Amino acid sequence: MSEEKNDNLHEADGQHETIQDETVQNENQSALEAIENSNAEENEDDSIGESHNIPMKNYEAMSMDALCDELSHLVENEKAMAIRNHVEEIRKDFMAKYHHFIDEKRDEYSHENNGDTTGFDYHFPLKSKFDSVYNKYKESKNQYHKKLQDNLKSNLNNRLAIIEELKNLVDNSDETIADALKHINDIRDRWKKAGPIPRDKYNHVWNNFHFHIERFYDHLHLDREARDLDFKHNLEQKQKIITRVEELLQEEDITKSFRELQSLHKIWKEEIGPVSKEHREDLWNRFSELTHQLHSKREALYSKLREAETDNLAKKKDIISRIDAVTKEEVTAHSQWQGQIDKIEALRNEFFQAGKVPIEVNEEVWSEFKEAVRQFNAQKNAFYKDIKKDQNDNLTKKNALVERAKSLMNNDDFAATTPIMKQIQEDWKKIGHVPRKYSDSIWGEFKGACNHYFDRMHAKRNESSAEENEAFDKKKDYLDSLKDFQLIGEHKTDLDAIKKHIETWKSFGKVPHNKRHIEGKFNKILDALFDKLSLSKKDAEMAKFSNRLEQLADGDQRQLQNEQLFIMRKIDEVQNEIFQLENNVQFISNAKADNPLVKEVNKSIERHKEELKTWKEKLKQIRSLKQE
């Protein structure tokens, strides 16, 4: 049975003394070594193969939220070792994006604190969530490895015991040949099911087992019929394997075919016994040649993937250059910066969608990308820091006007003080925005001081005449009669009726200043009537405003001026709110368009823009009235 021994040694070591073409031999040997190395690695971990059923996604293109969700899904639903490649890829891409995000926040902090980052500390809840899920995965993996080591040790002891049993069968058994064949088949069956063992023991234990198998067949040559029957069975099994490898060469999924080839090599080597000498060399050479062909196809696939990665590298280099170009563009206004931010966001998304680059330059390209984005953010932050400085300067100027108005609000020399107070109001309008958190409070102080002064002035000047008192009595009676007025449901007729009531009310004339509250009661009734009309919300509001504006026009000009100041202030507030919301959107850079938070912010921006249109239309009306 020395020829069987040569066969097994040939299959174990990939060598055969009769192969004449040394070049072909070396090529086939490389392919075989690739198979053997893969099998030896997977021998310790049978569950690794399960990861092949989970497709690898483009994790680099995912946001941090999406990566965290993907990691949670895998950890909750898959075995630890089946997802290890996925998990490490997800963690690599998440941490790269996280460090980039933190760098941006650190830059913002630095710009706000004159370059000092000593107190920088940014809490990112998503990072804590990601770490928790990743730690759960690591714990599961550690438990698996502990169990694996125990199993490997137990399997090793089992295989060594099987070898001892085989040695005794060869050296000390008195069994008949028929019983011995049954016994050897039982041993081989148990050997196939014995499970993986430590990698460093694999070759030694396998060679030892097959050495004694060969010794058994050396003894078996005495019963040639039984031996030939076994050879025939083994030949049929190996021919089936060769046929299957020929089919694998035609498969489109090369990676899947190569994995199956690994399994077939393991079966050939560990589960099927030797064949007769006349078929041995040709059979093995055919199997080796087919292995080489499939290995070559796999190498061609990898070569194509490397070419794609090289193309992706060129794309990412170009994207970085375009980011640098945007950074160099001169921008001097908020609206322009919003456009620049949109450009950078689009380039960021394009970078993440570009695909993988060669691993040896991955870190370098990522660093260049981060630096390019950091330079852009540094310029952007510097611009908005200057805006903040301007707003603080405006706050100082407005505070000075507030103090001046307060110092004059109790002055009784109305003839001399009124022009000064009006000039203070004009100066106020010329000053730009202040920080949003101070806007309401400082406006309240200024408005309070101005109203206090002008209320005192008008109270002094207001003297109730007999005509104004008569007008009050008429309006009071008319107000009582309006309680019974009802709309009939015809839009034009109802609108004409409301307008007629307004004209009648105006015809009564002015009322004493201290009785002008009756005007408010009339306006409330009008508001209720307008609300019942089939007008849009905006049209109804503008109709109410037009009526109120006409009443103000009939009064003193101070109230009209105050209304204009109020409207201008509301315009400033709404514009500031829109500015803040748009600024917030650009910080949610990695979120998708259908993200609930992004959608809510965008809806709020649209609502404020509609509100801004209404206020501007009111301002236009009041200015037109003042020019008449």
Side-chain angles (χ1 to χ4, degrees), residues 301-339:
L301 173 64
Y302 284 172
S303 177
K304 189 174 181 180
L305 292 175
R306 284 191 288 271
E307 289 178 6
E309 289 179 349
T310 302
D311 291 341
N312 294 340
L313 175 61
K315 292 177 185 177
K316 289 193 172 183
K317 287 282 189 179
D318 176 64
I319 292 170
I320 293 170
S321 298
R322 283 187 279 159
I323 292 175
D324 290 336
V326 172
T327 302
K328 292 176 182 177
E329 294 176 7
E330 186 173 349
V331 183
T332 57
H334 165 67
S335 59
Q336 292 176 313
W337 270 109
Q338 291 304 305

Side-chain angles (χ1 to χ4, degrees), residues 26-274:
N26 290 337
E27 290 176 350
N28 289 351
Q29 177 68 13
S30 298
L32 290 169
E33 286 177 354
I35 299 289
E36 294 300 323
N37 290 336
S38 298
N39 282 337
E41 290 174 1
E42 294 195 4
N43 184 54
E44 286 190 3
D45 184 7
D46 288 341
S47 71
I48 293 177
E50 297 174 19
S51 65
H52 300 318
N53 297 323
I54 306 174
M56 186 69 73
K57 299 181 180 179
N58 185 7
Y59 296 122
E60 185 181 25
M62 291 185 179
S63 66
M64 285 190 285
D65 286 288
L67 288 170
C68 190
D69 290 341
E70 182 68 16
L71 179 64
S72 298
H73 173 76
L74 290 175
V75 172
E76 290 295 330
N77 296 284
E78 305 290 347
K79 294 181 179 179
M81 297 309 295
I83 59 173
R84 61 180 183 178
N85 292 335
H86 293 263
V87 170
E88 294 310 320
E89 190 72 15
I90 289 172
R91 185 172 186 272
K92 182 193 74 174
D93 290 323
F94 181 91
M95 293 307 297
K97 288 181 171 62
Y98 170 72
H99 288 309
H100 182 55
F101 175 76
I102 292 299
D103 287 343
E104 289 182 342
K105 293 299 180 183
R106 186 181 290 105
D107 287 342
E108 291 174 15
Y109 183 89
S110 175
H111 282 291
E112 292 175 358
N113 293 273
N114 299 317
D116 183 15
T117 59
T118 305
F120 175 75
D121 182 23
Y122 190 86
H123 175 62
F124 191 43
L126 186 63
K127 174 63 164 53
S128 301
K129 179 182 177 182
F130 185 89
D131 288 343
S132 176
V133 178
Y134 183 74
N135 288 336
K136 183 178 180 180
Y137 158 75
K138 287 202 302 182
E139 181 180 351
S140 177
K141 187 178 71 170
N142 291 338
Q143 290 175 355
Y144 170 83
H145 278 300
K146 183 179 183 303
K147 183 179 179 181
L148 174 64
Q149 293 305 315
D150 292 340
N151 288 341
L152 292 176
K153 185 177 179 181
S154 175
N155 294 342
L156 175 61
N157 292 334
N158 185 24
R159 286 186 182 271
L160 293 176
I162 292 174
I163 291 173
E164 286 300 315
E165 182 180 347
L166 177 59
K167 286 168 61 177
N168 289 332
L169 175 63
V170 175
D171 296 332
N172 304 314
S173 176
D174 295 329
E175 296 179 3
T176 65
I177 291 178
D179 290 338
L181 283 172
K182 289 180 181 180
H183 195 168
I184 198 69
N185 286 334
D186 176 65
I187 288 175
R188 293 180 68 166
D189 186 58
R190 283 186 283 128
W191 179 266
K192 285 190 293 184
K193 299 176 181 178
I197 63 175
R199 189 182 307 175
D200 59 336
K201 307 291 185 182
Y202 178 76
N203 285 332
H204 172 72
V205 172
W206 186 89
N207 287 330
N208 197 10
F209 176 77
H210 280 273
F211 170 73
H212 293 293
I213 286 288
E214 291 170 6
R215 290 182 60 223
F216 173 81
Y217 277 97
D218 285 341
H219 286 76
L220 191 64
H221 76 280
L222 298 175
D223 189 338
R224 185 172 299 276
E225 181 180 352
R227 184 190 65 175
D228 290 345
L229 197 62
D230 195 50
F231 280 173
K232 180 182 178 182
H233 173 73
N234 295 339
L235 176 62
E236 291 172 352
Q237 295 300 311
K238 291 189 175 182
Q239 285 173 335
K240 288 180 181 179
I241 288 179
I242 289 175
T243 300
R244 179 54 187 156
V245 177
E246 289 173 341
E247 293 172 353
L248 292 178
L249 279 170
Q250 309 306 317
E251 297 282 349
E252 292 185 3
D253 191 339
I254 299 173
T255 303
K256 181 180 178 181
S257 296
F258 187 79
R259 288 197 298 268
E260 186 172 343
L261 179 64
Q262 290 176 278
S263 299
L264 293 176
H265 264 266
K266 193 171 184 179
I267 294 171
W268 183 292
K269 179 177 180 180
E270 296 189 6
E271 299 182 14
I272 303 176

Side-chain angles (χ1 to χ4, degrees), residues 432-537:
H433 300 305
V434 302
R436 191 161 61 94
K437 63 181 178 180
Y438 300 115
S439 179
D440 289 341
S441 60
I442 195 170
W443 168 249
E445 288 187 74
F446 182 71
K447 180 182 177 181
C450 291
N451 286 350
H452 179 79
Y453 172 78
F454 286 107
D455 285 344
R456 289 179 58 250
M457 182 191 74
H458 289 291
K460 185 75 174 178
R461 291 179 180 177
N462 184 49
E463 295 180 355
S464 299
S465 64
E467 183 179 352
E468 291 175 336
N469 282 323
E470 183 182 354
F472 175 77
D473 291 335
K474 290 180 179 179
K475 288 187 174 182
K476 184 179 179 183
D477 293 337
Y478 194 77
L479 202 62
D480 290 335
S481 69
L482 278 178
K483 294 178 181 178
D484 298 325
F485 175 74
Q486 296 291 330
L487 298 176
I488 65 175
E490 295 181 7
H491 178 77
K492 186 177 185 308
T493 302
D494 289 338
L495 184 60
D496 290 341
I498 293 173
K499 289 181 177 179
K500 185 175 180 181
H501 283 307
I502 294 172
E503 291 300 322
T504 302
W505 183 269
K506 289 171 62 178
S507 69
F508 295 145
K510 296 182 180 179
V511 299
H513 182 78
N514 59 350
K515 296 181 179 180
R516 292 205 55 168
H517 60 275
I518 198 170
E519 300 291 345
K521 293 182 179 180
F522 179 67
N523 287 334
K524 285 184 178 179
I525 293 175
L526 288 181
D527 289 348
L529 292 173
F530 277 123
D531 288 339
K532 293 178 181 179
L533 288 176
S534 57
L535 295 174
S536 68
K537 183 178 180 182

Side-chain angles (χ1 to χ4, degrees), residues 594-607:
D594 59 352
N595 182 286
L597 178 58
V598 175
K599 290 171 68 176
E600 184 59 32
V601 174
N602 286 329
K603 286 182 181 178
S604 182
I605 290 173
E606 291 303 316
R607 288 196 300 270

